Amino acid sequence: MEGDGSDSPVTIKNIERELICPACKELFTHPLILPCQHSICHKCVKELLLTLDDSFNDVGSDNSNQSSPRLRLPSPSMDKIDRINRPGWKRNSLTPRTTIFPCPGCEHDVDLGERGINGLFRNFTLETIVERYRQAARAATAIMCDLCKPPPQESTKSCMDCSASYCNECFKIHHPWGTIKAQHEYVGPTTNFRPKILMCPEHETERINMYCELCRRPVCHLCKLGGNHANHRVTTMSSAYKTLKEKLSKDIDYLIGKESQVKSQISELNLLMKETECNGERAKEEAITHFEKLFEILEERKSSVLKAIDSSKKLRLDKFQTQMEEYQGLLENNGLVGYAQEVLKETDQSCFVQTAKQLHLRIQKATESLKSFRPAAQTSFEDYVVNTSKQTELLGELSFFSSGIDVPEINEEQSKVYNNALINWHHPEKDKADSYVLEYRKINREDEMSWNEIEVCGTSKIIQDLENSSTYAFRVRAYKGSICSPCSRELILHTPPAPVFSFLFDEKCGYNNEHLLLNLKRDRVESRAGFNLLLAAERIQVGYYTSLDYIIGDTGITKGKHFWAFRVEPYSYLVKVGVASSDKLQEWLRSPRDAVSPRYEQDSGHDSGSEDACFDSSQPFTLVTIGMKKFFIPKSPTSSNEPENRVLPMPTSIGIFLDYDKGKVSFYDMDHMKCLYERQVDCSHTLYPAFALMGSGGIQLEEPITAKYLEYQEDM
């Protein structure tokens, strides 16, 4: 233990973040291992359960409004902690005990089961490391003797059996020579006392001696015999120790070997952080500038609108004031009436007539206005209401303008992989982008591969020289001058398990032109249910069965691994696909088989035992059945033969993988590059791609992806 404690304090200090409890955010104290394999303090588990239990039972109480248990927790009273620590504790008979809570580390719900906290292991390894960290942190702070009379002396040893620390004198007194205590295990001064033997929390008298691989936790033999791990796969503790230690050592060695890469990436991250800080401040300044421009425009419009309102208000008030003065003149002894009364006092007729004529017109006008009162101006300012609804909506949608270029999106339907990869994308602002950069990389679980970049002028690209049986990620971004759009969402494609095998349909060997129709390119064949089939149908009453029409590829295979793909038309009634051996092939195709029963046709699709492992060796074909939009997996003595397990939806495109050297043929769903069925095949002779049709149907060979293929797609 003393040797362990002598590790470099710097090394111990650097791992501080790993020693912090995710619940209380402090150094672990008696950490427990949760079912999700994260550790949490013993007291924090209790506090979590108490907090959730109070929230569950006291919905309206103050406890239900406490902070989230993922944050620092309030300390409950000791009596509550004692109660919840007892197995089977319940608040009352009607309230179930809370044993499910979210792990503060991963936020997934964990269930402690019936035993609650008592069913959890203490993480003694983590506890020891925390103690080492504490010692390194306090450095000169000594651990005092637990048995000294005051004042205590500095301890020199700690007894793991007594769980106490002693100075030299007290150790001799309490561990005299010749007694059992003299044989106790002692280490350097420590406050971390751990048991010598790890006991099972389920069976407290049994020691841990096995490891459950399913639950990833140590167990005892009683757990395996009749406990919760009875049907689980377990291994010995020594074997688990050796395996896990090798894995951990290998992972550590790998990380240490990548130290230079990690340092390089840390330096890159530091630069990115500085760049982010500068760019963030710049973006902030630009945003402030834009808002200040908006404020200036708003202030200018505000001043203009208020000025217009004030002008209209002044004009209207002036009109009202003039009208009001005119009406006040109609009052007796005021204004017009008073003036008219004074004119009536004039006795000179000439002078009176001269003045009275104009005065009479004014009084008549005032009399008429009195009869039909009308305000000189409008009081409403409806025409001066500022309509900001559209502007408010626009301001509400105010957001960041990325770079002026929309993000291109990869078209998953038009993108595919066969002998090469064809990636097609569309861009809402196609005319505004000068070019595109297509990025792709191989997805590797062990190493993160770097992105390969290809500059493209159009909106599609063929990628060559991809590795077989691999998974690739593709993404694209647009460029306009030096401005770059964000990357598109990644598209994941799986390459075929072997190089693509090129061939065409053979119009000579076994080709029946009465039933089959082959196109000029010889890459598509259709089955026609014509007049001859109707004539043959008369014999159905006597057990007649219509035979299959076979057609094979024009190129044979004698070695290596090969892959080819094709599409079966959805309207096809019955199609068989696979391989054919050159041995007996000519004899088979020449022999008339119009009366052959499906019972003796391999993989006929009928429940007649035809798909048994022991098929008719006289047949040159190894085929599977496809039809009525279904893919039929042949019967096998080693797997379920229930119809729901043997009948799958027909893939859009079907692939066949032939490993000639290993004598194996596999059938693939090309959309997901997933193997649907595989079986052994006799590879002692040349093998050919083989197809058979019955009734209406059609097969189209997949065209290899080349530059001509791309031109054809663009024309389409």
Side-chain angles (χ1 to χ4, degrees):
M1 292 294 290
E2 291 179 356
D4 294 338
S6 63
D7 291 343
S8 170
V10 176
T11 303
I12 291 293
K13 190 174 182 62
N14 287 344
I15 65 172
E16 179 179 359
R17 59 178 300 188
E18 302 294 332
L19 311 181
I20 300 297
C21 173
C24 63
K25 308 302 180 185
E26 297 177 355
L27 289 175
F28 281 106
T29 304
H30 303 306
L32 301 177
I33 303 176
L34 300 178
C36 61
Q37 302 303 305
H38 290 103
S39 295
I40 184 174
C41 294
H42 186 269
K43 61 179 178 61
C44 291
V45 179
K46 295 177 182 178
E47 293 170 0
L48 277 167
L49 292 175
L50 277 173
T51 303
L52 293 176
D53 190 76
D54 286 341
S55 299
F56 178 78
N57 294 289
D58 306 323
V59 179
S61 68
D62 293 338
N63 290 332
S64 64
N65 295 321
Q66 292 179 2
S67 60
S68 169
R70 294 183 178 86
L71 305 175
R72 185 181 295 272
L73 303 170
S75 298
S77 60
M78 290 306 298
D79 61 330
K80 282 190 177 182
I81 291 181
D82 291 340
R83 281 190 285 119
I84 200 171
N85 201 30
R86 300 184 197 123
W89 172 81
K90 294 182 180 180
R91 185 177 296 273
N92 56 57
S93 59
L94 298 178
T95 304
R97 174 187 171 189
T98 303
T99 61
I100 300 177
F101 65 93
C103 168
C106 62
E107 298 188 359
H108 289 112
D109 286 343
V110 293
D111 189 354
L112 302 186
E114 290 295 326
R115 291 184 56 80
I117 296 178
N118 292 331
L120 300 177
F121 282 105
R122 268 178 71 180
N123 194 337
F124 289 109
T125 302
L126 177 58
E127 201 168 329
T128 301
I129 296 173
V130 170
E131 176 59 25
R132 266 190 254 157
Y133 174 82
R134 292 183 191 275
Q135 291 181 6
R138 59 177 173 251
T141 304
I143 298 176
M144 309 310 292
C145 176
D146 294 326
L147 280 301
C148 276
K149 295 180 180 179
Q153 299 294 317
E154 183 177 341
S155 65
T156 58
K157 299 179 180 66
S158 292
C159 179
M160 301 304 291
D161 296 275
C162 301
S163 298
S165 297
Y166 302 89
C167 63
N168 285 331
E169 295 300 325
C170 291
F171 186 80
K172 293 177 182 178
I173 295 173
H174 292 278
H175 297 77
W177 289 102
T179 64
I180 297 178
K181 284 191 173 184
Q183 301 176 5
H184 284 187
E185 178 186 359
Y186 62 92
V187 295
T190 182
T191 57
N192 178 38
F193 300 100
R194 53 191 286 180
K196 293 182 178 180
I197 300 174
L198 197 60
M199 307 303 291
C200 177
E202 298 283 340
H203 311 93
E204 298 177 356
T205 59
E206 299 295 329
R207 63 182 297 176
I208 294 300
N209 54 8
M210 288 182 286
Y211 182 79
C212 177
E213 295 183 352
L214 179 63
C215 301
R216 297 185 298 172
R217 62 175 292 171
V219 295
C220 70
H221 71 283
L222 292 181
C223 294
K224 174 60 179 172
L225 290 177
N228 297 330
H229 309 270
N231 298 321
H232 296 180
R233 181 179 177 181
V234 299
T235 184
T236 61
M237 189 59 67
S238 59
S239 175
Y241 170 80
K242 182 180 179 182
T243 301
L244 292 174
K245 191 165 187 177
E246 287 178 355
K247 288 183 178 179
L248 186 58
S249 300
K250 185 178 179 180
D251 292 340
I252 292 173
D253 291 340
Y254 174 82
L255 291 176
I256 293 175
K258 297 290 184 179
E259 185 174 358
S260 59
Q261 181 180 345
V262 173
K263 289 181 178 179
S264 174
Q265 292 175 352
I266 289 174
S267 300
E268 184 178 352
L269 287 173
N270 284 327
L271 292 175
L272 292 175
M273 288 174 65
K274 292 179 180 178
E275 185 179 351
T276 301
E277 189 172 348
C278 294
N279 291 340
E281 290 299 321
R282 188 182 300 113
K284 188 176 177 181
E285 291 173 2
E286 291 178 357
I288 292 174
T289 302
H290 286 302
F291 277 105
E292 286 177 349
K293 288 182 180 179
L294 288 176
F295 294 152
E296 290 177 4
I297 295 173
L298 287 174
E299 285 294 332
E300 182 182 347
R301 294 302 300 159
K302 175 184 174 183
S303 176
S304 175
V305 168
L306 294 180
K307 185 177 180 180
I309 293 174
D310 286 339
S311 298
S312 178
K313 182 181 72 172
K314 184 177 183 302
L315 180 61
R316 297 184 190 194
L317 290 176
D318 289 344
K319 289 182 179 181
F320 281 125
Q321 182 65 32
T322 301
Q323 187 179 23
M324 185 174 64
E325 290 176 354
E326 289 179 355
Y327 273 87
Q328 285 179 343
L330 300 179
L331 297 176
E332 185 177 3
N333 300 323
N334 284 332
L336 183 61
V337 174
Y339 174 63
Q341 289 175 342
E342 292 298 324
V343 170
L344 288 174
K345 295 178 182 179
E346 177 62 49
T347 57
D348 188 313
Q349 293 182 356
S350 316
C351 293
F352 176 80
V353 171
Q354 182 183 12
T355 306
K357 181 61 179 177
Q358 184 183 10
L359 181 61
H360 181 255
L361 291 176
R362 289 180 60 192
I363 290 178
Q364 278 186 329
K365 187 177 179 180
T367 304
E368 290 175 0
S369 65
L370 187 63
K371 293 178 180 178
S372 56
F373 176 75
R374 181 177 297 174
Q378 294 286 337
T379 60
S380 172
F381 278 78
E382 292 179 356
D383 295 338
Y384 288 85
V385 174
V386 179
N387 183 8
T388 60
S389 58
K390 186 180 296 185
Q391 289 75 10
T392 302
E393 184 178 354
L394 290 174
L395 287 173
E397 296 175 355
L398 188 65
S399 60
F400 297 106
F401 186 65
S402 59
S403 59
I405 306 180
D406 287 344
V407 181
E409 288 298 328
I410 295 180
N411 191 324
E412 297 186 12
E413 295 182 357
Q414 296 182 11
S415 299
K416 58 184 292 186
V417 65
Y418 192 35
N419 59 319
N420 297 315
L422 170 63
I423 308 300
N424 200 309
W425 60 90
H426 60 84
H427 193 208
E429 298 186 0
K430 180 178 178 181
D431 297 334
K432 294 186 178 181
D434 299 332
S435 62
Y436 301 89
V437 170
L438 175 63
E439 299 181 345
Y440 68 97
R441 70 177 179 183
K442 181 181 177 182
I443 298 177
N444 194 323
R445 292 184 179 179
E446 297 180 358
D447 297 318
E448 184 173 344
M449 309 293 287
S450 59
W451 290 93
N452 300 293
E453 296 186 353
I454 301 176
E455 186 173 356
V456 186
C457 293
T459 56
S460 58
K461 181 64 178 177
I462 293 177
I463 309 296
Q464 301 177 342
D465 301 325
L466 299 180
E467 296 182 21
N468 293 320
S469 191
S470 301
T471 303
Y472 283 85
F474 300 86
R475 67 186 187 187
V476 65
R477 63 179 186 268
Y479 274 89
K480 181 183 178 182
S482 61
I483 301 176
C484 172
S485 76
C487 288
S488 68
R489 186 168 55 89
E490 293 182 13
L491 172 66
I492 307 298
L493 293 178
H494 307 276
T495 57
V500 170
F501 179 65
S502 297
F503 67 92
L504 298 172
F505 290 119
D506 193 337
E507 79 277 19
K508 297 178 181 179
C509 183
Y511 173 62
N512 185 346
N513 57 9
E514 292 184 0
H515 296 167
L516 299 179
L517 177 63
L518 193 62
N519 68 349
L520 294 176
K521 294 175 63 177
R522 292 195 291 124
D523 64 350
R524 178 180 177 84
V525 64
E526 294 182 3
S527 174
R528 298 178 295 182
F531 186 69
N532 292 333
L533 182 61
L534 291 177
L535 292 177
E538 294 179 351
R539 286 177 284 174
I540 291 179
Q541 296 176 356
V542 292
Y544 172 81
Y545 290 90
T546 303
S547 65
L548 291 164
D549 294 303
Y550 292 91
I551 188 168
I552 64 172
D554 61 357
T555 307
I557 298 171
T558 57
K559 63 179 180 179
K561 299 178 180 179
H562 304 274
F563 183 86
W564 61 93
F566 50 88
R567 297 190 303 275
V568 176
E569 296 297 342
Y571 64 81
S572 301
Y573 173 67
L574 191 152
V575 173
K576 291 177 176 290
V577 298
V579 294
S581 174
S582 61
D583 183 38
K584 303 179 183 179
L585 180 60
Q586 293 292 339
E587 178 185 351
W588 178 272
L589 294 176
R590 288 196 192 98
S591 301
R593 301 184 181 274
D594 290 344
V596 175
S597 167
R599 176 173 293 278
Y600 300 102
E601 287 196 272
Q602 176 197 355
D603 299 334
S604 64
H606 298 276
D607 293 330
S608 56
S610 60
E611 294 91 348
D612 292 343
C614 299
F615 55 87
D616 186 358
S617 61
S618 65
Q619 294 192 39
F621 300 101
T622 302
L623 307 170
V624 296
T625 302
I626 302 168
M628 301 178 69
K629 299 182 181 180
K630 302 294 182 183
F631 182 96
F632 298 88
I633 297 178
K635 286 184 177 179
S636 171
T638 59
S639 61
S640 172
N641 289 320
E642 296 296 327
E644 59 268 18
N645 296 326
R646 293 180 53 231
V647 181
L648 305 176
M650 183 181 74
T652 305
S653 183
I654 300 167
I656 296 180
F657 169 42
L658 175 63
D659 189 339
Y660 189 94
D661 300 331
K662 292 185 178 181
K664 184 181 293 185
V665 61
S666 306
F667 299 85
Y668 277 73
D669 175 358
M670 273 286 291
D671 294 336
H672 306 93
M673 205 57 73
K674 176 184 177 183
C675 181
L676 303 176
Y677 172 70
E678 66 177 21
R679 67 177 299 166
Q680 295 297 125
V681 63
D682 182 10
C683 292
S684 56
H685 299 85
T686 303
L687 293 181
Y688 294 86
F691 307 85
L693 300 92
M694 177 188 290
S696 296
I699 301 173
Q700 173 70 56
L701 299 180
E702 284 288 351
E703 184 179 356
I705 299 174
T706 61
K708 292 183 179 180
Y709 181 93
L710 183 58
E711 292 173 3
Y712 172 76
Q713 289 291 105
E714 291 177 348
D715 292 340
M716 291 292 289

